[in-house]
Amino acid sequence: CKAVQTTVEVNVPSKIGGTGEDMGKKRDLMTVEERPMECILCLHSAGYHAMHPLYDTCGKEGRQYVLKATKSGIGGKPRRLAWVHTLCAQMLIQTKGYLYGVDKDGDWHGCTNINDEDEDA
């Protein structure tokens, strides 16, 4: 998995569909320590499957979504990056029509930002 040992810049706080003046002003760095196996859209987490980062919003302010730490002790999980299975992402796109993400070059498609339009002018 090419994501392992990469450093990812995330928004603080990380919230799905985040907007407003505070979105993207504070950032944190997280490192992908191991191959992602947990999909936040389904309960299947056994075996290796194609995974994709889930972004918190579209546009230049969008960063990979961060899951909060869950209860400590047995079964607890640390703060971690959000990932989705390829098939789960495709199903969500087909049924709901949306999912935030980028291509391998970090570009997003199908989402326009007012700031992006200003830069083109």
mmCIF file with all atom_site columns, all heavy atoms in Angstrom, residues 32-56:
data_model
loop_
_atom_site.group_PDB
_atom_site.id
_atom_site.type_symbol
_atom_site.label_atom_id
_atom_site.label_alt_id
_atom_site.label_comp_id
_atom_site.label_asym_id
_atom_site.label_entity_id
_atom_site.label_seq_id
_atom_site.pdbx_PDB_ins_code
_atom_site.Cartn_x
_atom_site.Cartn_y
_atom_site.Cartn_z
_atom_site.occupancy
_atom_site.B_iso_or_equiv
_atom_site.pdbx_formal_charge
_atom_site.auth_seq_id
_atom_site.auth_comp_id
_atom_site.auth_asym_id
_atom_site.auth_atom_id
_atom_site.pdbx_PDB_model_num
ATOM 1   N N   . VAL A 1 32 ? 0.398   7.831  8.231  1.00 0.00 ? 32 VAL A N   1
ATOM 2   C CA  . VAL A 1 32 ? -0.250  6.537  8.015  1.00 0.00 ? 32 VAL A CA  1
ATOM 3   C C   . VAL A 1 32 ? 0.758   5.489  8.466  1.00 0.00 ? 32 VAL A C   1
ATOM 4   O O   . VAL A 1 32 ? 1.790   5.295  7.828  1.00 0.00 ? 32 VAL A O   1
ATOM 5   C CB  . VAL A 1 32 ? -0.631  6.338  6.531  1.00 0.00 ? 32 VAL A CB  1
ATOM 6   C CG1 . VAL A 1 32 ? -1.296  4.986  6.333  1.00 0.00 ? 32 VAL A CG1 1
ATOM 7   C CG2 . VAL A 1 32 ? -1.515  7.473  6.048  1.00 0.00 ? 32 VAL A CG2 1
ATOM 8   N N   . GLU A 1 33 ? 0.471   4.843  9.590  1.00 0.00 ? 33 GLU A N   1
ATOM 9   C CA  . GLU A 1 33 ? 1.412   3.886  10.189 1.00 0.00 ? 33 GLU A CA  1
ATOM 10  C C   . GLU A 1 33 ? 1.315   2.486  9.583  1.00 0.00 ? 33 GLU A C   1
ATOM 11  O O   . GLU A 1 33 ? 2.298   1.764  9.531  1.00 0.00 ? 33 GLU A O   1
ATOM 12  C CB  . GLU A 1 33 ? 1.168   3.791  11.701 1.00 0.00 ? 33 GLU A CB  1
ATOM 13  C CG  . GLU A 1 33 ? 1.330   5.107  12.437 1.00 0.00 ? 33 GLU A CG  1
ATOM 14  C CD  . GLU A 1 33 ? 2.767   5.585  12.515 1.00 0.00 ? 33 GLU A CD  1
ATOM 15  O OE1 . GLU A 1 33 ? 3.691   4.776  12.335 1.00 0.00 ? 33 GLU A OE1 1
ATOM 16  O OE2 . GLU A 1 33 ? 2.956   6.791  12.743 1.00 0.00 ? 33 GLU A OE2 1
ATOM 17  N N   . GLU A 1 34 ? 0.117   2.091  9.160  1.00 0.00 ? 34 GLU A N   1
ATOM 18  C CA  . GLU A 1 34 ? -0.071  0.743  8.621  1.00 0.00 ? 34 GLU A CA  1
ATOM 19  C C   . GLU A 1 34 ? -1.137  0.780  7.536  1.00 0.00 ? 34 GLU A C   1
ATOM 20  O O   . GLU A 1 34 ? -1.878  1.759  7.402  1.00 0.00 ? 34 GLU A O   1
ATOM 21  C CB  . GLU A 1 34 ? -0.474  -0.235 9.725  1.00 0.00 ? 34 GLU A CB  1
ATOM 22  C CG  . GLU A 1 34 ? -1.718  0.172  10.469 1.00 0.00 ? 34 GLU A CG  1
ATOM 23  C CD  . GLU A 1 34 ? -1.977  -0.684 11.697 1.00 0.00 ? 34 GLU A CD  1
ATOM 24  O OE1 . GLU A 1 34 ? -1.018  -1.258 12.247 1.00 0.00 ? 34 GLU A OE1 1
ATOM 25  O OE2 . GLU A 1 34 ? -3.138  -0.777 12.100 1.00 0.00 ? 34 GLU A OE2 1
ATOM 26  N N   . ARG A 1 35 ? -1.213  -0.292 6.785  1.00 0.00 ? 35 ARG A N   1
ATOM 27  C CA  . ARG A 1 35 ? -2.183  -0.375 5.695  1.00 0.00 ? 35 ARG A CA  1
ATOM 28  C C   . ARG A 1 35 ? -3.595  -0.218 6.259  1.00 0.00 ? 35 ARG A C   1
ATOM 29  O O   . ARG A 1 35 ? -3.982  -0.913 7.194  1.00 0.00 ? 35 ARG A O   1
ATOM 30  C CB  . ARG A 1 35 ? -2.058  -1.712 4.985  1.00 0.00 ? 35 ARG A CB  1
ATOM 31  C CG  . ARG A 1 35 ? -2.986  -1.820 3.807  1.00 0.00 ? 35 ARG A CG  1
ATOM 32  C CD  . ARG A 1 35 ? -2.843  -3.151 3.095  1.00 0.00 ? 35 ARG A CD  1
ATOM 33  N NE  . ARG A 1 35 ? -3.817  -3.213 2.025  1.00 0.00 ? 35 ARG A NE  1
ATOM 34  C CZ  . ARG A 1 35 ? -3.539  -3.580 0.798  1.00 0.00 ? 35 ARG A CZ  1
ATOM 35  N NH1 . ARG A 1 35 ? -2.309  -3.920 0.483  1.00 0.00 ? 35 ARG A NH1 1
ATOM 36  N NH2 . ARG A 1 35 ? -4.467  -3.615 -0.120 1.00 0.00 ? 35 ARG A NH2 1
ATOM 37  N N   . PRO A 1 36 ? -4.387  0.705  5.695  1.00 0.00 ? 36 PRO A N   1
ATOM 38  C CA  . PRO A 1 36 ? -5.745  0.898  6.199  1.00 0.00 ? 36 PRO A CA  1
ATOM 39  C C   . PRO A 1 36 ? -6.620  -0.317 5.910  1.00 0.00 ? 36 PRO A C   1
ATOM 40  O O   . PRO A 1 36 ? -6.571  -0.873 4.813  1.00 0.00 ? 36 PRO A O   1
ATOM 41  C CB  . PRO A 1 36 ? -6.246  2.133  5.455  1.00 0.00 ? 36 PRO A CB  1
ATOM 42  C CG  . PRO A 1 36 ? -5.341  2.317  4.300  1.00 0.00 ? 36 PRO A CG  1
ATOM 43  C CD  . PRO A 1 36 ? -4.059  1.646  4.623  1.00 0.00 ? 36 PRO A CD  1
ATOM 44  N N   . MET A 1 37 ? -7.402  -0.737 6.896  1.00 0.00 ? 37 MET A N   1
ATOM 45  C CA  . MET A 1 37 ? -8.304  -1.875 6.736  1.00 0.00 ? 37 MET A CA  1
ATOM 46  C C   . MET A 1 37 ? -9.712  -1.564 7.237  1.00 0.00 ? 37 MET A C   1
ATOM 47  O O   . MET A 1 37 ? -10.636 -2.297 6.947  1.00 0.00 ? 37 MET A O   1
ATOM 48  C CB  . MET A 1 37 ? -7.740  -3.097 7.455  1.00 0.00 ? 37 MET A CB  1
ATOM 49  C CG  . MET A 1 37 ? -6.441  -3.578 6.842  1.00 0.00 ? 37 MET A CG  1
ATOM 50  S SD  . MET A 1 37 ? -5.746  -5.026 7.625  1.00 0.00 ? 37 MET A SD  1
ATOM 51  C CE  . MET A 1 37 ? -6.965  -6.259 7.277  1.00 0.00 ? 37 MET A CE  1
ATOM 52  N N   . GLU A 1 38 ? -9.875  -0.464 7.971  1.00 0.00 ? 38 GLU A N   1
ATOM 53  C CA  . GLU A 1 38 ? -11.168 -0.114 8.538  1.00 0.00 ? 38 GLU A CA  1
ATOM 54  C C   . GLU A 1 38 ? -11.908 0.835  7.591  1.00 0.00 ? 38 GLU A C   1
ATOM 55  O O   . GLU A 1 38 ? -11.430 1.924  7.290  1.00 0.00 ? 38 GLU A O   1
ATOM 56  C CB  . GLU A 1 38 ? -10.975 0.562  9.895  1.00 0.00 ? 38 GLU A CB  1
ATOM 57  C CG  . GLU A 1 38 ? -12.249 1.063  10.510 1.00 0.00 ? 38 GLU A CG  1
ATOM 58  C CD  . GLU A 1 38 ? -12.027 1.896  11.763 1.00 0.00 ? 38 GLU A CD  1
ATOM 59  O OE1 . GLU A 1 38 ? -10.885 2.355  12.003 1.00 0.00 ? 38 GLU A OE1 1
ATOM 60  O OE2 . GLU A 1 38 ? -12.997 2.096  12.495 1.00 0.00 ? 38 GLU A OE2 1
ATOM 61  N N   . CYS A 1 39 ? -13.082 0.422  7.129  1.00 0.00 ? 39 CYS A N   1
ATOM 62  C CA  . CYS A 1 39 ? -13.930 1.268  6.288  1.00 0.00 ? 39 CYS A CA  1
ATOM 63  C C   . CYS A 1 39 ? -14.971 1.913  7.188  1.00 0.00 ? 39 CYS A C   1
ATOM 64  O O   . CYS A 1 39 ? -15.630 1.224  7.967  1.00 0.00 ? 39 CYS A O   1
ATOM 65  C CB  . CYS A 1 39 ? -14.621 0.419  5.217  1.00 0.00 ? 39 CYS A CB  1
ATOM 66  S SG  . CYS A 1 39 ? -15.809 1.334  4.207  1.00 0.00 ? 39 CYS A SG  1
ATOM 67  N N   . ILE A 1 40 ? -15.123 3.237  7.084  1.00 0.00 ? 40 ILE A N   1
ATOM 68  C CA  . ILE A 1 40 ? -16.093 3.892  7.958  1.00 0.00 ? 40 ILE A CA  1
ATOM 69  C C   . ILE A 1 40 ? -17.522 3.774  7.426  1.00 0.00 ? 40 ILE A C   1
ATOM 70  O O   . ILE A 1 40 ? -18.459 4.195  8.093  1.00 0.00 ? 40 ILE A O   1
ATOM 71  C CB  . ILE A 1 40 ? -15.741 5.367  8.226  1.00 0.00 ? 40 ILE A CB  1
ATOM 72  C CG1 . ILE A 1 40 ? -15.898 6.222  6.983  1.00 0.00 ? 40 ILE A CG1 1
ATOM 73  C CG2 . ILE A 1 40 ? -14.344 5.503  8.783  1.00 0.00 ? 40 ILE A CG2 1
ATOM 74  C CD1 . ILE A 1 40 ? -15.965 7.682  7.301  1.00 0.00 ? 40 ILE A CD1 1
ATOM 75  N N   . LEU A 1 41 ? -17.689 3.182  6.254  1.00 0.00 ? 41 LEU A N   1
ATOM 76  C CA  . LEU A 1 41 ? -19.029 3.020  5.682  1.00 0.00 ? 41 LEU A CA  1
ATOM 77  C C   . LEU A 1 41 ? -19.618 1.635  5.885  1.00 0.00 ? 41 LEU A C   1
ATOM 78  O O   . LEU A 1 41 ? -20.804 1.435  5.641  1.00 0.00 ? 41 LEU A O   1
ATOM 79  C CB  . LEU A 1 41 ? -18.998 3.345  4.181  1.00 0.00 ? 41 LEU A CB  1
ATOM 80  C CG  . LEU A 1 41 ? -18.538 4.749  3.811  1.00 0.00 ? 41 LEU A CG  1
ATOM 81  C CD1 . LEU A 1 41 ? -18.492 4.898  2.294  1.00 0.00 ? 41 LEU A CD1 1
ATOM 82  C CD2 . LEU A 1 41 ? -19.437 5.795  4.431  1.00 0.00 ? 41 LEU A CD2 1
ATOM 83  N N   . CYS A 1 42 ? -18.817 0.667  6.313  1.00 0.00 ? 42 CYS A N   1
ATOM 84  C CA  . CYS A 1 42 ? -19.337 -0.687 6.512  1.00 0.00 ? 42 CYS A CA  1
ATOM 85  C C   . CYS A 1 42 ? -18.614 -1.351 7.691  1.00 0.00 ? 42 CYS A C   1
ATOM 86  O O   . CYS A 1 42 ? -17.676 -0.785 8.250  1.00 0.00 ? 42 CYS A O   1
ATOM 87  C CB  . CYS A 1 42 ? -19.186 -1.523 5.244  1.00 0.00 ? 42 CYS A CB  1
ATOM 88  S SG  . CYS A 1 42 ? -17.516 -2.141 4.931  1.00 0.00 ? 42 CYS A SG  1
ATOM 89  N N   . LEU A 1 43 ? -19.034 -2.542 8.040  1.00 0.00 ? 43 LEU A N   1
ATOM 90  C CA  . LEU A 1 43 ? -18.452 -3.254 9.181  1.00 0.00 ? 43 LEU A CA  1
ATOM 91  C C   . LEU A 1 43 ? -17.361 -4.244 8.780  1.00 0.00 ? 43 LEU A C   1
ATOM 92  O O   . LEU A 1 43 ? -16.736 -4.843 9.642  1.00 0.00 ? 43 LEU A O   1
ATOM 93  C CB  . LEU A 1 43 ? -19.553 -4.001 9.949  1.00 0.00 ? 43 LEU A CB  1
ATOM 94  C CG  . LEU A 1 43 ? -20.642 -3.108 10.543 1.00 0.00 ? 43 LEU A CG  1
ATOM 95  C CD1 . LEU A 1 43 ? -21.743 -3.959 11.162 1.00 0.00 ? 43 LEU A CD1 1
ATOM 96  C CD2 . LEU A 1 43 ? -20.052 -2.172 11.570 1.00 0.00 ? 43 LEU A CD2 1
ATOM 97  N N   . HIS A 1 44 ? -17.120 -4.419 7.489  1.00 0.00 ? 44 HIS A N   1
ATOM 98  C CA  . HIS A 1 44 ? -16.128 -5.400 7.038  1.00 0.00 ? 44 HIS A CA  1
ATOM 99  C C   . HIS A 1 44 ? -14.721 -4.829 7.171  1.00 0.00 ? 44 HIS A C   1
ATOM 100 O O   . HIS A 1 44 ? -14.384 -3.825 6.549  1.00 0.00 ? 44 HIS A O   1
ATOM 101 C CB  . HIS A 1 44 ? -16.397 -5.795 5.581  1.00 0.00 ? 44 HIS A CB  1
ATOM 102 C CG  . HIS A 1 44 ? -15.494 -6.870 5.096  1.00 0.00 ? 44 HIS A CG  1
ATOM 103 N ND1 . HIS A 1 44 ? -15.644 -8.180 5.465  1.00 0.00 ? 44 HIS A ND1 1
ATOM 104 C CD2 . HIS A 1 44 ? -14.415 -6.818 4.291  1.00 0.00 ? 44 HIS A CD2 1
ATOM 105 C CE1 . HIS A 1 44 ? -14.684 -8.902 4.900  1.00 0.00 ? 44 HIS A CE1 1
ATOM 106 N NE2 . HIS A 1 44 ? -13.933 -8.088 4.180  1.00 0.00 ? 44 HIS A NE2 1
ATOM 107 N N   . SER A 1 45 ? -13.900 -5.475 7.987  1.00 0.00 ? 45 SER A N   1
ATOM 108 C CA  . SER A 1 45 ? -12.527 -4.986 8.160  1.00 0.00 ? 45 SER A CA  1
ATOM 109 C C   . SER A 1 45 ? -11.512 -6.126 8.141  1.00 0.00 ? 45 SER A C   1
ATOM 110 O O   . SER A 1 45 ? -10.395 -5.968 8.601  1.00 0.00 ? 45 SER A O   1
ATOM 111 C CB  . SER A 1 45 ? -12.400 -4.193 9.470  1.00 0.00 ? 45 SER A CB  1
ATOM 112 O OG  . SER A 1 45 ? -12.710 -5.020 10.563 1.00 0.00 ? 45 SER A OG  1
ATOM 113 N N   . ALA A 1 46 ? -11.898 -7.281 7.593  1.00 0.00 ? 46 ALA A N   1
ATOM 114 C CA  . ALA A 1 46 ? -10.974 -8.420 7.515  1.00 0.00 ? 46 ALA A CA  1
ATOM 115 C C   . ALA A 1 46 ? -10.402 -8.505 6.098  1.00 0.00 ? 46 ALA A C   1
ATOM 116 O O   . ALA A 1 46 ? -11.104 -8.276 5.120  1.00 0.00 ? 46 ALA A O   1
ATOM 117 C CB  . ALA A 1 46 ? -11.710 -9.704 7.865  1.00 0.00 ? 46 ALA A CB  1
ATOM 118 N N   . GLY A 1 47 ? -9.128  -8.810 6.006  1.00 0.00 ? 47 GLY A N   1
ATOM 119 C CA  . GLY A 1 47 ? -8.493  -8.968 4.707  1.00 0.00 ? 47 GLY A CA  1
ATOM 120 C C   . GLY A 1 47 ? -8.093  -7.629 4.097  1.00 0.00 ? 47 GLY A C   1
ATOM 121 O O   . GLY A 1 47 ? -8.403  -6.567 4.623  1.00 0.00 ? 47 GLY A O   1
ATOM 122 N N   . TYR A 1 48 ? -7.381  -7.725 2.987  1.00 0.00 ? 48 TYR A N   1
ATOM 123 C CA  . TYR A 1 48 ? -6.912  -6.529 2.297  1.00 0.00 ? 48 TYR A CA  1
ATOM 124 C C   . TYR A 1 48 ? -7.852  -6.188 1.145  1.00 0.00 ? 48 TYR A C   1
ATOM 125 O O   . TYR A 1 48 ? -8.188  -7.047 0.331  1.00 0.00 ? 48 TYR A O   1
ATOM 126 C CB  . TYR A 1 48 ? -5.497  -6.733 1.751  1.00 0.00 ? 48 TYR A CB  1
ATOM 127 C CG  . TYR A 1 48 ? -4.479  -6.921 2.843  1.00 0.00 ? 48 TYR A CG  1
ATOM 128 C CD1 . TYR A 1 48 ? -3.811  -8.120 2.997  1.00 0.00 ? 48 TYR A CD1 1
ATOM 129 C CD2 . TYR A 1 48 ? -4.193  -5.885 3.717  1.00 0.00 ? 48 TYR A CD2 1
ATOM 130 C CE1 . TYR A 1 48 ? -2.871  -8.281 4.000  1.00 0.00 ? 48 TYR A CE1 1
ATOM 131 C CE2 . TYR A 1 48 ? -3.256  -6.042 4.724  1.00 0.00 ? 48 TYR A CE2 1
ATOM 132 C CZ  . TYR A 1 48 ? -2.602  -7.240 4.859  1.00 0.00 ? 48 TYR A CZ  1
ATOM 133 O OH  . TYR A 1 48 ? -1.686  -7.399 5.856  1.00 0.00 ? 48 TYR A OH  1
ATOM 134 N N   . HIS A 1 49 ? -8.257  -4.933 1.080  1.00 0.00 ? 49 HIS A N   1
ATOM 135 C CA  . HIS A 1 49 ? -9.143  -4.446 0.035  1.00 0.00 ? 49 HIS A CA  1
ATOM 136 C C   . HIS A 1 49 ? -8.648  -3.075 -0.405 1.00 0.00 ? 49 HIS A C   1
ATOM 137 O O   . HIS A 1 49 ? -7.974  -2.376 0.346  1.00 0.00 ? 49 HIS A O   1
ATOM 138 C CB  . HIS A 1 49 ? -10.580 -4.321 0.555  1.00 0.00 ? 49 HIS A CB  1
ATOM 139 C CG  . HIS A 1 49 ? -11.139 -5.613 1.047  1.00 0.00 ? 49 HIS A CG  1
ATOM 140 N ND1 . HIS A 1 49 ? -11.707 -6.542 0.217  1.00 0.00 ? 49 HIS A ND1 1
ATOM 141 C CD2 . HIS A 1 49 ? -11.194 -6.141 2.291  1.00 0.00 ? 49 HIS A CD2 1
ATOM 142 C CE1 . HIS A 1 49 ? -12.099 -7.580 0.923  1.00 0.00 ? 49 HIS A CE1 1
ATOM 143 N NE2 . HIS A 1 49 ? -11.792 -7.364 2.194  1.00 0.00 ? 49 HIS A NE2 1
ATOM 144 N N   . ALA A 1 50 ? -9.016  -2.689 -1.614 1.00 0.00 ? 50 ALA A N   1
ATOM 145 C CA  . ALA A 1 50 ? -8.655  -1.354 -2.099 1.00 0.00 ? 50 ALA A CA  1
ATOM 146 C C   . ALA A 1 50 ? -9.354  -0.315 -1.232 1.00 0.00 ? 50 ALA A C   1
ATOM 147 O O   . ALA A 1 50 ? -10.559 -0.381 -1.030 1.00 0.00 ? 50 ALA A O   1
ATOM 148 C CB  . ALA A 1 50 ? -9.065  -1.195 -3.557 1.00 0.00 ? 50 ALA A CB  1
ATOM 149 N N   . MET A 1 51 ? -8.572  0.616  -0.690 1.00 0.00 ? 51 MET A N   1
ATOM 150 C CA  . MET A 1 51 ? -9.104  1.643  0.203  1.00 0.00 ? 51 MET A CA  1
ATOM 151 C C   . MET A 1 51 ? -8.754  3.024  -0.337 1.00 0.00 ? 51 MET A C   1
ATOM 152 O O   . MET A 1 51 ? -7.733  3.217  -0.986 1.00 0.00 ? 51 MET A O   1
ATOM 153 C CB  . MET A 1 51 ? -8.508  1.490  1.601  1.00 0.00 ? 51 MET A CB  1
ATOM 154 C CG  . MET A 1 51 ? -8.722  0.134  2.254  1.00 0.00 ? 51 MET A CG  1
ATOM 155 S SD  . MET A 1 51 ? -10.420 -0.171 2.699  1.00 0.00 ? 51 MET A SD  1
ATOM 156 C CE  . MET A 1 51 ? -10.544 0.766  4.201  1.00 0.00 ? 51 MET A CE  1
ATOM 157 N N   . HIS A 1 52 ? -9.618  3.975  -0.024 1.00 0.00 ? 52 HIS A N   1
ATOM 158 C CA  . HIS A 1 52 ? -9.413  5.357  -0.448 1.00 0.00 ? 52 HIS A CA  1
ATOM 159 C C   . HIS A 1 52 ? -9.634  6.287  0.736  1.00 0.00 ? 52 HIS A C   1
ATOM 160 O O   . HIS A 1 52 ? -10.501 6.030  1.577  1.00 0.00 ? 52 HIS A O   1
ATOM 161 C CB  . HIS A 1 52 ? -10.397 5.727  -1.564 1.00 0.00 ? 52 HIS A CB  1
ATOM 162 C CG  . HIS A 1 52 ? -10.223 4.880  -2.777 1.00 0.00 ? 52 HIS A CG  1
ATOM 163 N ND1 . HIS A 1 52 ? -9.283  5.153  -3.738 1.00 0.00 ? 52 HIS A ND1 1
ATOM 164 C CD2 . HIS A 1 52 ? -10.843 3.748  -3.162 1.00 0.00 ? 52 HIS A CD2 1
ATOM 165 C CE1 . HIS A 1 52 ? -9.349  4.226  -4.676 1.00 0.00 ? 52 HIS A CE1 1
ATOM 166 N NE2 . HIS A 1 52 ? -10.285 3.361  -4.348 1.00 0.00 ? 52 HIS A NE2 1
ATOM 167 N N   . PRO A 1 53 ? -8.880  7.381  0.815  1.00 0.00 ? 53 PRO A N   1
ATOM 168 C CA  . PRO A 1 53 ? -9.098  8.338  1.906  1.00 0.00 ? 53 PRO A CA  1
ATOM 169 C C   . PRO A 1 53 ? -10.442 9.033  1.730  1.00 0.00 ? 53 PRO A C   1
ATOM 170 O O   . PRO A 1 53 ? -10.870 9.301  0.604  1.00 0.00 ? 53 PRO A O   1
ATOM 171 C CB  . PRO A 1 53 ? -7.946  9.329  1.767  1.00 0.00 ? 53 PRO A CB  1
ATOM 172 C CG  . PRO A 1 53 ? -7.447  9.171  0.368  1.00 0.00 ? 53 PRO A CG  1
ATOM 173 C CD  . PRO A 1 53 ? -7.785  7.783  -0.067 1.00 0.00 ? 53 PRO A CD  1
ATOM 174 N N   . LEU A 1 54 ? -11.114 9.306  2.833  1.00 0.00 ? 54 LEU A N   1
ATOM 175 C CA  . LEU A 1 54 ? -12.364 10.059 2.820  1.00 0.00 ? 54 LEU A CA  1
ATOM 176 C C   . LEU A 1 54 ? -12.043 11.490 3.205  1.00 0.00 ? 54 LEU A C   1
ATOM 177 O O   . LEU A 1 54 ? -11.417 11.732 4.235  1.00 0.00 ? 54 LEU A O   1
ATOM 178 C CB  . LEU A 1 54 ? -13.368 9.463  3.804  1.00 0.00 ? 54 LEU A CB  1
ATOM 179 C CG  . LEU A 1 54 ? -14.698 10.209 3.897  1.00 0.00 ? 54 LEU A CG  1
ATOM 180 C CD1 . LEU A 1 54 ? -15.481 10.050 2.597  1.00 0.00 ? 54 LEU A CD1 1
ATOM 181 C CD2 . LEU A 1 54 ? -15.504 9.713  5.072  1.00 0.00 ? 54 LEU A CD2 1
ATOM 182 N N   . TYR A 1 55 ? -12.451 12.435 2.385  1.00 0.00 ? 55 TYR A N   1
ATOM 183 C CA  . TYR A 1 55 ? -12.161 13.848 2.630  1.00 0.00 ? 55 TYR A CA  1
ATOM 184 C C   . TYR A 1 55 ? -13.318 14.524 3.352  1.00 0.00 ? 55 TYR A C   1
ATOM 185 O O   . TYR A 1 55 ? -14.467 14.118 3.222  1.00 0.00 ? 55 TYR A O   1
ATOM 186 C CB  . TYR A 1 55 ? -11.842 14.557 1.310  1.00 0.00 ? 55 TYR A CB  1
ATOM 187 C CG  . TYR A 1 55 ? -10.426 14.280 0.866  1.00 0.00 ? 55 TYR A CG  1
ATOM 188 C CD1 . TYR A 1 55 ? -10.044 13.015 0.466  1.00 0.00 ? 55 TYR A CD1 1
ATOM 189 C CD2 . TYR A 1 55 ? -9.473  15.274 0.899  1.00 0.00 ? 55 TYR A CD2 1
ATOM 190 C CE1 . TYR A 1 55 ? -8.741  12.749 0.096  1.00 0.00 ? 55 TYR A CE1 1
ATOM 191 C CE2 . TYR A 1 55 ? -8.157  15.016 0.534  1.00 0.00 ? 55 TYR A CE2 1
ATOM 192 C CZ  . TYR A 1 55 ? -7.806  13.755 0.131  1.00 0.00 ? 55 TYR A CZ  1
ATOM 193 O OH  . TYR A 1 55 ? -6.521  13.490 -0.221 1.00 0.00 ? 55 TYR A OH  1
ATOM 194 N N   . ASP A 1 56 ? -13.001 15.580 4.105  1.00 0.00 ? 56 ASP A N   1
ATOM 195 C CA  . ASP A 1 56 ? -14.016 16.249 4.909  1.00 0.00 ? 56 ASP A CA  1
ATOM 196 C C   . ASP A 1 56 ? -14.852 17.242 4.120  1.00 0.00 ? 56 ASP A C   1
ATOM 197 O O   . ASP A 1 56 ? -15.987 17.533 4.478  1.00 0.00 ? 56 ASP A O   1
ATOM 198 C CB  . ASP A 1 56 ? -13.405 16.919 6.147  1.00 0.00 ? 56 ASP A CB  1
ATOM 199 C CG  . ASP A 1 56 ? -12.239 17.835 5.840  1.00 0.00 ? 56 ASP A CG  1
ATOM 200 O OD1 . ASP A 1 56 ? -11.997 18.165 4.663  1.00 0.00 ? 56 ASP A OD1 1
ATOM 201 O OD2 . ASP A 1 56 ? -11.550 18.227 6.798  1.00 0.00 ? 56 ASP A OD2 1
#
